[in-house]
């Protein structure tokens, strides 16, 4: 019978992680479960460092970015020894179920741990990159999109005034989900994603064409995983004569109050994670697809790459004329 569960936030933080911790604790507690919040990501599992969480301990955090449990990228957890220590901690504290709130790296770790422990593990997808296979959306993505959009709207003002080309780099690691949604919703003239790369000549031709049509500024949204943006800036200047600026938005995209959408996903995923453990399902992640909550095995999610909807790139192109 399920008595004690652990919760851990791991990898890059994402706005809404706190709301997810709150949902886990406040779903678990009325069912008679004790909740252990492991600290600093998987390091807390390795070092047996945790805080007990009850419904009051998670009061006043639904609106806060970051994670009250803290998080690190934990190299020791990538070793056999680290995983073994984590499994021992779970056994020592008689943790029956573990909720891992994080992204792909955290789920790879969770999958490795699942092979070494009897503790049931459930993953709650939370990453601004939105690159977890099996779920249309992850906690934090909507907030990061909105943060980037509001910054780029400001950049648009100065781009128009100075008749400049801006290349704005957004996060996303090796994937283009953030760049694609941000690019479409700021009306970017070009969106560069690592999945497809780019053709500098085509971009320069686009800019020259739009100048002919009377458009004298443009925004190029580039995912950080796209290589060669500095060189591209120089090429655009050389071929079009436009002034070009490169802006890297950086970690501003990871912070701030979660949007209502990120909080909503956190509430839904957090509750579903505890229900999944109570239903004796193990080694799953929580997914949302077409507004339905489902689960997928950890093994499946770590095995596959989430596909990018490149039709949205075409749409962005058609609309940014
Ligand atoms: O995975 C989230 C993310 O913000 C990525 O978009 C980015 O590449 C990475 O984390 C940055 O990691 P760190 O904060 O460890 O430099």
């Amino acid at each position: 019978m399920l008595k004690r569960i652990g919760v851990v936030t791991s990898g890059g933080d994402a706005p809404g992680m706190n709301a997810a911790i709150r949902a886990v604790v406040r779903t678990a507690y009325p069912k008679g479960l004790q909740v252990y919040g492991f600290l600093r990501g998987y390091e807390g599992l390795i070092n047996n460092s945790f805080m007990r969480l009850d419904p009051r301990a998670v009061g006043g955090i639904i609106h806060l970015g970051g994670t009250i449990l803290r998080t690190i990228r934990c190299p020791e957890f990538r070793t056999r020894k680290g995983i073994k220590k984590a499994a021992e901690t779970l056994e020592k504290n008689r943790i029956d179920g573990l909720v891992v709130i994080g992204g792909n790296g955290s789920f790879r770790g969770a999958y490795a741990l699942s092979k070494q422990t009897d503790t049931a593990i459930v993953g709650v997808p939370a990453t601004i990159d939105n690159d977890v296979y099996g779920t249309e959306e992850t906690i934090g993505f909507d907030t990061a999109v909105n943060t980037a959009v509001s910054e780029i709207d400001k950049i648009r003002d100065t781009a128009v005034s100075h008749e400049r080309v801006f290349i704005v780099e957004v996060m996303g690691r090796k994937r283009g989900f953030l760049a694609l949604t941000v690019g479409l919703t700021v009306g970017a003239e070009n969106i560069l994603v690592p999945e497809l790369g780019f053709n500098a000549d085509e971009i320069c031709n686009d800019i020259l064409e739009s100048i002919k049509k009377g458009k004298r500024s443009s925004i190029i949204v580039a995912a950080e995983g796209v290589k060669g943006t500095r060189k591209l800036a120089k090429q655009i200047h050389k071929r079009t004569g436009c002034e070009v600026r490169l802006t890297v938005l950086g970690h501003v995209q990871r912070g701030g109050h979660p949007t209502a959408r990120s909080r909503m996903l956190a509430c839904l995923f957090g509750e579903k994670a505890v229900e999944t453990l109570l239903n004796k399902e193990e080694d799953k992640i929580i997914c949302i697809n077409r507004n339905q909550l489902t689960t997928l095995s950890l093994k499946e999610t770590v095995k596959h790459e989430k596909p990018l909807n490149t039709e949205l790139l075409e749409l962005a192109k058609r609309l940014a004329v």
Side-chain angles (χ1 to χ4, degrees):
M1 209 179 82
L2 204 66
K3 277 195 181 148
R4 246 168 253 104
I5 67 168
V7 56
V8 63
T9 50
S10 159
D13 59 351
M17 278 184 161
N18 280 325
I21 297 167
R22 170 182 176 271
V24 167
V25 174
R26 291 187 175 177
T27 305
Y29 208 79
K31 312 266 186 217
L33 303 178
Q34 292 172 19
V35 186
Y36 287 53
F38 288 94
L39 302 171
R40 302 188 86 231
Y42 285 131
E43 190 188 87
L45 281 170
I46 291 172
N47 297 345
N48 193 21
S49 134
F50 60 82
M51 65 201 263
R52 295 286 290 272
L53 295 171
D54 65 18
R56 285 279 47 82
V58 293
I61 65 167
I62 191 169
H63 62 300
L64 299 179
T67 157
I68 59 163
L69 294 176
R70 309 292 166 91
T71 181
I72 62 161
R73 304 195 189 277
C74 181
E76 202 185 342
F77 199 71
R78 290 196 204 113
T79 65
R80 260 167 198 266
K81 210 168 143 202
I83 302 258
K84 194 163 165 267
K85 281 195 204 164
E88 283 163 10
T89 298
L90 292 171
E91 202 177 317
K92 181 155 57 194
N93 295 299
R94 286 173 293 138
I95 304 290
D96 309 303
L98 178 69
V99 179
V100 175
I101 304 173
N104 279 331
S106 309
F107 295 160
R108 276 193 294 275
Y111 180 55
L113 178 61
S114 73
K115 293 184 190 163
Q116 303 296 328
T117 179
D118 291 333
T119 302
I121 300 179
V122 172
V124 166
T127 162
I128 65 161
D129 301 340
N130 198 24
D131 57 351
V132 175
Y133 177 82
T135 184
E136 275 169 10
E137 201 177 332
T138 54
I139 296 168
F141 176 65
D142 181 69
T143 308
V145 167
N146 279 289
T147 300
V149 164
S150 93
E151 298 302 313
I152 297 173
D153 286 347
K154 291 171 196 145
I155 289 173
R156 174 79 76 183
D157 292 343
T158 175
V160 170
S161 306
H162 282 263
E163 300 183 338
R164 281 174 174 163
V165 174
F166 270 83
I167 303 175
V168 187
E169 185 186 292
V170 299
M171 278 188 162
R173 202 176 285 279
K174 292 184 179 149
R175 303 304 311 274
F177 297 96
L178 194 54
L180 181 52
T181 303
V182 169
L184 176 66
T185 56
V186 297
E189 279 68 22
N190 264 289
I191 303 170
L192 314 183
V193 294
E195 289 83 350
L196 300 178
F198 65 86
N199 180 320
D201 281 335
E202 271 175 26
I203 294 172
C204 293
N205 289 341
D206 281 355
I207 293 169
L208 289 170
E209 274 304 304
S210 62
I211 292 172
K212 274 193 212 150
K213 287 187 225 149
K215 195 178 198 179
R216 304 207 54 88
S217 67
S218 79
I219 302 278
I220 300 170
V221 171
E224 65 178 341
V226 170
K227 301 284 168 253
T229 44
R230 265 176 212 290
K231 193 168 162 213
L232 175 65
K234 287 191 188 130
Q235 284 170 304
I236 295 174
H237 176 62
K238 206 165 155 211
R239 274 218 39 215
T240 67
C242 294
E243 275 192 277
V244 189
R245 295 289 185 271
L246 177 63
T247 302
V248 179
L249 291 188
H251 285 78
V252 69
Q253 295 158 99
R254 281 239 300 264
H257 297 299
T259 57
R261 175 71 185 165
S262 291
R263 296 180 203 194
M264 170 77 105
L265 288 184
C267 295
L268 294 171
F269 285 10
E271 180 187 58
K272 179 81 176 172
V274 176
E275 283 171 354
T276 302
L277 289 172
L278 286 166
N279 289 341
K280 298 194 172 38
E281 283 185 68
E282 53 185 67
D283 308 337
K284 302 277 183 183
I285 66 156
I286 308 301
C287 306
I288 190 158
N289 290 301
R290 297 179 186 185
N291 254 351
Q292 295 294 317
L293 290 178
T294 51
T295 59
L296 180 74
S297 74
L298 267 173
K299 188 176 177 185
E300 283 298 305
T301 194
V302 299
K303 229 170 57 182
H304 294 101
E305 283 233 312
K306 182 171 172 177
L308 187 76
N309 180 359
T310 48
E311 280 175 20
L312 290 180
L313 278 176
E314 300 301 321
L315 174 62
K317 199 90 207 128
R318 286 197 298 276
L319 299 182
V321 286

